[in-house]
Every structure is written in C-alpha cells, then in structure tokens.
Amino acid sequence: MRQQIFDLRVHDRVALDEIELYAEMLSAVAAAERPLTLAEIDMVLGVRSGEPGRRELTPQDQ
C-alpha cells in the first residue's frame, strides 16, 4: 500500500474560519436567555442586514 505523507503545517483556512464562526455562535447562544433574533445572529456572524433578504459581509477591522 502506498503511504501518504501529509504536511501538518498546511491548514485549511476556510475550515478554520468556519470553526471560529461556529464557536462564536455557540458562545452567543450559551450567553443568551432566549433564542437569538436574525439581527443578533447577523451581528455574531459579522454580516449586516441591508435590504430584506440581502446581507453583506462587514469588515472585521471595524
């Protein structure tokens, strides 16, 4: 059988970002005393609501 060698220094940036967002969402849900509203979820995920049905990414630097 052919042995595969993996470079453990290589990371999947997208997967790591998704894990971070998931952790932030879990923290927000755990701290809330009620279900989060869509606006609160958008805030945790770093998106802003403009027109109904349209969401835009917000820069993380702000």
Side-chain angles (χ1 to χ4, degrees), residues 12-60:
D12 184 339
R13 188 74 233 152
V14 173
L16 292 174
D17 289 343
E18 288 180 7
I19 291 167
E20 183 178 349
L21 283 175
Y22 186 70
E24 289 174 15
M25 182 58 64
L26 286 178
S27 295
V29 169
E33 295 181 9
R34 57 172 170 61
L36 298 177
T37 65
L38 288 178
E40 291 168 328
I41 292 170
D42 285 350
M43 186 175 66
V44 171
L45 295 177
V47 296
R48 64 173 177 224
S49 298
E51 303 169 18
R54 179 178 172 172
R55 295 184 174 135
E56 299 175 7
L57 292 175
T58 55
Q60 297 296 330

